[in-house]
Amino acid sequence: MTDPLVTVDDLEKYYYENDTLLDRLTGAEREAVRAVDGVSFEVREGETLGVVGESGCGKSTLAETLMRLREPTGGSVTFDGDPVFDLSGTDMNAFRRRAQVMFQDPFSSLDPRMTAGEIITEPLAIHGVGTSGERRERAETLLDEVGLSADQIDRYPHEFSGGQRQRIGFARALAIDPEFIVLDEPVSALDVSVQAQVLNLLADMQAERDLTYLFIAHDLSVVRHISDRVAVMYLGEIVEIGPTEEIFEDPKHPYTKALLESVPRADTDERDRTVETIRGDVPSPRNPPSGCSFRTRCPELIQPPGLDLPQATFRGISEFRTRIENGDIDVDLRWEQVGDPDREDREAFVDSLREEAFDTELPDAEEETVSEAIRALADGDRETAAATLRERYRSPCEAIDPGLPAGEHPSACLLNEQPEDVETAREEWEADYEAPEAGASSR
Amino acid sequence: MTDLLRVRDLSTRFFTEEGQINAVENVSFTVEAGSVLGVVGESGSGKSVTGLSLIDLVESPGKITSGEIWYNNADLAERVEGDRPEAVDGDFVDLRRLSEAERRSLRGSAFSMIFQDPMSSFNPSITVGEQIAEAAEVQRRASANPRSTRSRTQGYGLGQMLLDGVLPNRSYTSEESWDRAVELLERVGIPDPAERAEEYPHQFSGGMLQRAMIAQALAGDPDLLVADEPTTALDVTIQAQILDLLADLQETMEMSVVLITHNLGVIARVADRVSVMYAGEVVERGTLRDVFDDPVHPYTKGLLGSVPDIDQPGERLEPIAGNVPDLVDANMPDRCYFADRCPKAMTDCLTRPPEYEVSDGHRARCVLAEREYSEADAVPDERFARATDDGTAANDGSTAADGSIASDAEVSDD
Ligand code: SF4
Ligand code: SF4
C-alpha cells in the first residue's frame, strides 16, 4: 500500500445561521448547518480518490475546506506530513504550490478580459515563478499538452467551447507543477462526447506526471471510470469508502446500493431491470435525523428487538410516524375532508387516514397501534400520537449513530461491522429496550 | 399501433443578428399512441427546439418555417373539415394549417409540456395548489363549451401559463378545480396533497416541485406530454423516482410522451422508439433496440461509445473528436454535417445524404446504410475545415464541397 499524501481527520465545517449581532441580541437560536460533519479519510500517493454524493451532501464544501479555501470548524488535514490548517508564510506558499484545485467552471471567478495565456500563467505570476517570457513559453507548452494549440494563447475565454475551457482550466491547475489536484465536478457541464475527451486527458496527465487526484462528482459512471478508490457521502458524512471495484460490485451501505441501482443504464435491457427507488428527499443539513442520517429513506431500517414485521410494513409505519412527527398532516383539514366539522365521528377520521396511509392490511397488533395513534391525532394530540408509534416502532438506527470502522472497505451502517464504541452503545441500548405490548395502553 | 403524431420535414429557424440559425432541419418522425419517443442529442442538436415546435411554443426570433405536424384526433378533424379541408386527412389534422387560435386551444388539452426547471414554471407568490387548479379550471371551462375552441384560449393556455407565469387571482378557480388539483397532486405521488396544495413553490423540494409541474401539465388530460430534460437537474435517486412516475402515468393515462434528453440511460429506461439528433437533423431513428443494438450512423455509435459504462468499466473511452457545428445557415456545409468528425467519411459523404431505410422503421441519414465503408474512398481529414471546437474558427465559410482546405485550426479534440 502506498503512503497517504493527504490525511483528513474528523474534518468538520459548520455554517451558522441566525448569527448576526441582531440575532444574538434578540436571542434567536444559532442554527448550525452541518455541511461537513466529521469526515476522515486519506488520499494515497498517485491514486485517484473519487468522492460521490448527491447535491447538498457536502462534497464541494469538503474540497474547499480541505484546500483551506474555507476555514474548518473542526478536525485536521495533513499534507505530506504538514498540518495544513497550521501552516503560514512560506510553508503555506509551498502548500499552495503543491496542491491545486479545478472547479466545474474555472472561469466564473476569473476576469473575462484575461486571455488564455494569462489565465494559465496567473498562478506562476502570483508565486513569482519565471520571467514573463518564460511564463508565456510555459503556457504555450501547456496548451499543447492539454490538446489545444499554442497559437490560441491570446484568445479570450468566450472564444472557446466548454470542453476547451475545461482544458484551459486544467492547464492552469498544472502550470505550477503540483502533486495533488482537487477536481470538483470537472466534466459535469460537458456533453458526453466532450466529457470523454476531457476524462481521457485527465487520465493521461495523471499517468505522465504521477499526479494524485481527489475527484468529486455526482455521476457514478464517471467516478467508476476514473477512480482507484471511492468515498460515498451523504448529509456531510462518508457512509462508505473502499476500492472502486468493491464499492461498485459489492456495495455494503444501503445508500450506496440505492445510489448504484438508481443510475439508468444505456442498455436495451434497462427497461426490464427492477429498480427499488428509495423514497423521499434528502433531509436538511440544518436538522439532520438522529442516529443514522440515512434512516429516513433507508430500505433496510432495522426493527427494534422483538419486532419482526415484513420490511415494507415496518417502513410504511415508520414513514407514517415521520409524517405525524413533522406535522405534515393537518388535522383540521382532515376533519373537513371527512365531512364532519363537529368532530364527532372519530372512527370515520381513523378510517379515512388509515386508508390513505396504508394500502395494505396490517397485522392485528399493528393495526391496533396505528389506530390508537390516529385517534390521538383526531383529538388534536399530535404528541401522544407520535409517542404511541415511537414507543413500539423505535429503530436502533435512530438511537445509535453508526461510525466508519478502520479497514479497506468500511461502511457506516449498523448492519455491518462497526467501531467498538458503536457496538457497545448498541448493546447497551438493546439491553435497555423493553418491547412494549401492542396497543398496551388501550387495553 | 396507431400513430398519434406524424411529423414531416419540420424546420425551425432563428433569425438572429449572427444570421439565420437552422435549429431544426427537415425533421421527420412518428409518435405512436400510448408510447414513449425518446429524442436524444447533445447541446445544440436542436432537440429542445423540436419539442417546442411540436406544441407551437417557439418564440421570436424563432419561427417554424416549413413542415407538417399531423395529429390524430377524429373530433378535431370533423370540426375543422368544414372550414379547412386542406388541413384534414382522414382522422388526422395538420396543426401547421390551423389558425393560431385553434392551435393554441390544443395546448394543455391535447399537448402539454414539462421542463427541466420547475421553479421557472411556477409563480413564486401563488400557492402550488392554486396554480394547478388554475390549469384545471381552464380545461374545465373549455370542455364545458367544446364547440368553441376559441373559448379555451382567452390568454390562459397552459403554454402561456407555464412560460409567462401570468396568473389571475384566486377568485378565478372554482372549488371543483381545487379538488382536482389536490387529486392531481396525489396522483403524482405527493404525500399529504391537501396540505401541500396550500404551500408555495419554495416550500417544495426540487423533486416534489417536479412532480407538481407534472401534475399541472396533466390537468387537461393531454394526449401528448413533451418532457424536456425532466430529470436533468435532479439527483439520481430522485431521477429514478420521476422516471418511474412518468412511465406509470404514461401507461395508466394512455398518453404518449416525447422525452427529450441528453442522457442515454434515461432513454433506455423509458423510451420505446428513439430519434438521435445532430446539428438540427434526426440522424437515426428506430426502436430502442435498432438504435442501441444496431446503430448505423457513426454519430450514434460515437455517442454510445462516449458514455462510461457503470457496469463494465472499460480501459479507455472513445470520444468523438471535435465539436458540434454552430448551425448558422451560412456556415452549414453542403455535405453530411457530421463528416468533419466522422471516422468513416468518404467521397460519397460530400453531398447531403438523404434518410435511408435500414430496415422497417429504422432509418439513418448516412451512406453507410447503403454501402460498406471503403478506405479507397476515404476523405482525408484536411478536406474539412476542421471544427476546432472553439466556435469561431470553424466557420470560415469554407466547406469540403468547394474543395478549399482550411489552413489554420487543426486542433483535433483528441
Ligand atoms: S444504520 Fe440503519 S438506517 Fe442506517 S443505513 Fe444501516 S440499516 Fe439503514
Ligand atoms: S454520411 Fe458519411 S460522413 Fe456522414 S456519418 Fe455517414 S459515413 Fe460519416
Side-chain angles (χ1 to χ4, degrees):
Chain A
M1 207 200 296
T2 43
D3 296 334
L5 179 62
V6 183
T7 308
V8 177
D9 189 24
D10 208 13
L11 186 64
E12 201 183 86
K13 175 68 188 172
Y14 289 5
Y15 297 97
Y16 289 98
E17 291 182 343
N18 299 341
D19 202 23
T20 63
L21 182 61
L22 184 70
D23 288 324
R24 263 174 274 160
L25 289 175
T26 54
E29 188 101 11
R30 208 167 75 131
E31 219 184 337
V33 179
R34 305 176 185 193
V36 176
D37 200 7
V39 158
S40 304
F41 63 91
E42 53 189 43
V43 192
R44 299 170 191 160
E45 218 165 312
E47 78 168 348
T48 298
L49 175 69
V51 178
V52 279
E54 301 181 282
S55 42
C57 73
K59 56 191 190 302
S60 288
T61 309
L62 169 66
E64 288 164 10
T65 313
L66 173 111
M67 292 298 288
R68 213 174 150 182
L69 300 174
R70 294 173 188 275
E71 285 306 312
T73 44
S76 68
V77 173
T78 316
F79 182 83
D80 199 13
D82 297 331
V84 172
F85 298 145
D86 299 334
L87 296 177
S88 60
T90 47
D91 293 340
M92 189 59 206
N93 264 333
F95 171 69
R96 288 253 175 270
R97 294 180 57 163
R98 295 173 69 190
Q100 289 289 312
V101 57
M102 171 180 160
F103 296 107
Q104 173 172 347
D105 179 4
F107 296 92
S108 59
S109 58
L110 293 174
D111 185 343
R113 284 162 304 182
M114 283 166 83
T115 62
E118 286 163 350
I119 288 169
I120 294 170
T121 55
E122 194 185 47
L124 296 170
I126 290 171
H127 290 280
V129 180
T131 64
S132 77
E134 282 163 356
R135 292 201 289 261
R136 193 174 163 88
E137 236 169 79
R138 174 97 177 117
E140 286 174 347
T141 321
L142 282 164
L143 279 168
D144 273 332
E145 282 180 340
V146 298
L148 296 168
S149 81
D151 54 29
Q152 290 169 310
I153 191 165
D154 293 319
R155 295 213 185 142
Y156 294 94
H158 72 264
E159 297 178 67
F160 294 95
S161 70
Q164 288 185 317
R165 285 218 286 268
Q166 265 343 50
R167 288 169 191 268
I168 294 171
F170 191 51
R172 176 184 161 100
L174 291 175
I176 206 149
D177 241 332
E179 292 150 60
F180 176 57
I181 305 183
V182 173
L183 302 154
D184 188 0
E185 300 274 11
V187 296
S188 53
L190 305 176
D191 277 321
V192 284
S193 66
V194 179
Q195 168 182 302
Q197 298 166 2
V198 175
L199 287 174
N200 283 347
L201 172 68
L202 295 177
D204 292 346
M205 282 297 166
Q206 179 173 40
E208 227 166 82
R209 300 179 173 227
D210 292 327
L211 293 165
T212 303
Y213 288 157
L214 183 73
F215 187 97
I216 295 170
H218 68 279
D219 185 324
L220 288 135
S221 313
V222 166
V223 165
R224 173 162 207 188
H225 178 79
I226 198 150
S227 310
D228 300 301
R229 290 191 310 132
V230 173
V232 181
M233 282 188 80
Y234 189 79
L235 268 184
E237 298 174 335
I238 290 182
V239 296
E240 180 165 5
I241 183 168
T244 305
E245 184 69 13
E246 283 187 36
I247 294 279
F248 283 83
E249 294 303 326
D250 184 21
K252 300 220 181 303
H253 196 282
Y255 176 62
T256 312
K257 293 183 200 170
L259 207 54
L260 293 180
E261 235 185 74
S262 301
V263 179
R265 273 66 168 169
D267 188 296
T268 39
D269 296 333
E270 172 62 13
R271 288 193 82 162
D272 304 324
R273 193 172 63 94
T274 341
V275 177
E276 272 295 330
T277 56
I278 47 171
R279 283 187 264 183
D281 286 302
V282 183
S284 159
R286 279 171 195 79
N287 189 14
S290 65
C292 173
S293 54
F294 186 53
R295 70 168 166 88
T296 52
R297 305 172 79 197
C298 181
E300 297 178 43
L301 192 65
I302 302 169
Q303 303 188 23
L307 201 64
D308 190 16
L309 297 171
Q311 186 61 18
T313 307
F314 182 63
R315 270 214 325 170
I317 296 173
S318 298
E319 277 169 21
F320 183 59
R321 185 186 131 196
T322 309
R323 280 167 66 192
I324 294 179
E325 284 174 343
N326 291 352
D328 289 342
I329 300 170
D330 184 329
V331 175
D332 298 341
L333 199 67
R334 185 69 49 176
W335 274 113
E336 259 175 57
Q337 282 174 339
V338 175
D340 185 6
D342 300 332
R343 310 191 172 194
E344 278 164 356
D345 192 352
R346 235 174 26 155
E347 284 318 301
F349 184 101
V350 172
D351 288 347
S352 142
L353 188 55
R354 155 73 187 77
E355 186 83 350
E356 190 235 80
F358 301 94
D359 38 19
T360 51
E361 296 250 312
L362 298 175
D364 289 348
E366 318 326 319
E367 201 71 72
E368 204 173 315
T369 312
V370 166
S371 299
E372 186 185 325
I374 302 181
R375 274 194 288 274
L377 199 63
D379 294 340
D381 188 353
R382 203 177 93 196
E383 212 11 80
T384 306
T388 306
L389 294 176
R390 197 178 308 130
E391 199 188 333
R392 184 167 168 79
Y393 303 109
R394 197 167 147 77
S395 162
C397 303
E398 64 193 272
I400 317 286
D401 190 2
L404 213 52
E408 252 314 269
H409 180 187
S411 70
C413 169
L414 298 179
L415 291 170
N416 305 329
E417 192 196 324
Q418 284 293 286
E420 213 159 302
D421 57 327
V422 177
E423 297 280 11
T424 317
R426 184 166 175 190
E427 277 158 28
E428 282 169 10
W429 182 84
E430 284 185 0
D432 284 352
Y433 186 88
E434 279 173 49
E437 290 283 311
S441 52
S442 68
R443 256 183 236 156
Chain B
M1 217 182 254
T2 49
D3 294 343
L4 179 77
L5 212 63
R6 291 182 187 147
V7 178
R8 298 233 176 91
D9 297 324
L10 187 71
S11 293
T12 302
R13 320 218 125 109
F14 286 78
F15 301 93
T16 69
E17 272 170 31
E18 284 97 68
Q20 175 187 325
I21 314 277
N22 300 342
V24 177
E25 184 73 352
N26 275 325
V27 158
S28 301
F29 57 84
T30 301
V31 184
E32 290 169 349
S35 80
V36 180
L37 170 72
V39 178
V40 66
E42 299 182 279
S43 40
S45 64
K47 58 186 190 304
S48 289
V49 180
T50 301
L52 294 171
S53 304
L54 281 184
I55 59 173
D56 203 31
L57 284 178
V58 177
E59 289 188 335
S60 170
K63 195 174 176 321
I64 299 178
T65 50
S66 63
E68 299 163 4
I69 303 174
W70 292 95
Y71 167 47
N72 186 349
N73 183 327
D75 289 347
L76 181 67
E78 198 179 316
R79 233 180 308 150
V80 171
E81 181 131 44
D83 293 347
R84 296 170 197 270
E86 76 283 1
V88 175
D89 180 4
D91 288 345
F92 282 81
V93 178
D94 180 10
L95 301 177
R96 300 285 317 134
R97 280 183 255 203
L98 296 181
S99 70
E100 179 163 354
E102 282 167 331
R103 275 205 303 270
R104 227 191 305 152
S105 74
L106 295 170
R107 270 186 227 154
S109 64
F111 309 118
S112 206
M113 187 156 183
I114 56 173
F115 302 91
Q116 177 173 339
D117 176 15
M119 218 41 184
S120 65
S121 295
F122 283 100
N123 183 326
S125 56
I126 299 175
T127 63
V128 169
E130 188 62 22
Q131 297 186 58
I132 297 171
E134 174 65 27
E137 181 77 23
V138 172
Q139 300 307 327
R140 208 176 60 84
R141 294 193 180 189
S143 55
N145 186 7
R147 287 199 54 79
S148 155
T149 49
R150 278 201 149 269
S151 75
R152 302 181 177 192
T153 68
Q154 308 304 316
Y156 302 121
L158 180 67
Q160 183 177 343
M161 276 195 343
L162 293 176
L163 293 175
D164 300 348
V166 180
L167 289 158
N169 56 34
R170 172 153 199 164
S171 60
Y172 181 73
T173 55
S174 61
E175 201 165 308
E176 208 178 324
S177 296
W178 180 265
D179 292 346
R180 171 94 174 117
V182 172
E183 193 185 305
L184 283 164
L185 283 172
E186 182 166 21
R187 182 66 194 82
V188 296
I190 292 190
D192 304 309
E195 284 87 345
R196 305 308 302 266
E198 306 269 10
E199 293 180 1
Y200 291 89
H202 71 88
Q203 293 171 280
F204 277 55
S205 69
M208 283 297 156
L209 203 58
Q210 194 70 16
R211 286 176 192 268
M213 177 164 65
I214 294 172
Q216 188 186 40
L218 296 180
D221 216 347
D223 290 343
L224 178 75
L225 180 70
V226 177
D228 187 3
E229 300 275 12
T231 60
T232 303
L234 304 174
D235 282 320
V236 50
T237 58
I238 310 293
Q239 164 171 289
Q241 297 171 4
I242 298 290
L243 291 179
D244 263 12
L245 173 67
L246 278 176
D248 176 50
L249 291 170
Q250 185 265 322
E251 204 164 299
T252 52
M253 299 184 64
E254 293 175 355
M255 85 190 155
S256 304
V257 174
V258 172
L259 179 78
I260 298 165
T261 177
H262 70 284
N263 187 325
L264 291 157
V266 169
I267 292 277
R269 180 107 199 126
V270 291
D272 300 297
R273 300 185 64 83
V274 181
S275 289
V276 182
M277 290 194 72
Y278 182 77
E281 297 183 318
V282 171
V283 294
E284 184 153 10
R285 57 181 165 132
T287 62
L288 181 70
R289 219 163 263 288
D290 289 339
V291 173
F292 275 57
D293 290 348
D294 300 305
V296 168
H297 201 289
Y299 177 67
T300 312
K301 291 184 183 170
L303 208 52
L304 289 163
S306 304
V307 196
D309 185 337
I310 194 169
D311 296 320
Q312 282 156 7
E315 282 302 288
R316 203 173 165 81
L317 301 172
E318 289 169 35
I320 307 168
N323 252 273
V324 288
D326 63 6
L327 307 180
V328 175
D329 182 63
N331 303 330
M332 292 311 281
D334 190 17
R335 54 154 164 85
C336 169
Y337 290 166
F338 188 60
D340 58 335
R341 304 175 71 188
C342 182
K344 301 268 175 75
M346 294 173 285
T347 44
D348 285 13
C349 311
L350 301 178
T351 46
R352 294 280 306 280
E355 219 181 20
Y356 294 99
E357 176 133 8
V358 181
S359 62
D360 192 29
H362 181 190
R363 295 191 171 78
R365 202 177 271 282
C366 170
V367 298
L368 293 173
E370 288 268 291
R371 57 162 297 179
E372 298 274 296
Y373 173 67
S374 130
E375 214 146 303
D377 299 336
V379 184
D381 269 2
E382 305 79 62
R383 269 305 280 281
F384 302 113
R386 189 78 191 190
T388 58
D389 135 315
D390 72 4
T392 52
N395 310 308
D396 55 2
S398 68
T399 64
D402 64 32
S404 65
I405 291 165
S407 51
D408 58 351
E410 266 60 50
V411 186
S412 76
D413 226 330
D414 280 6

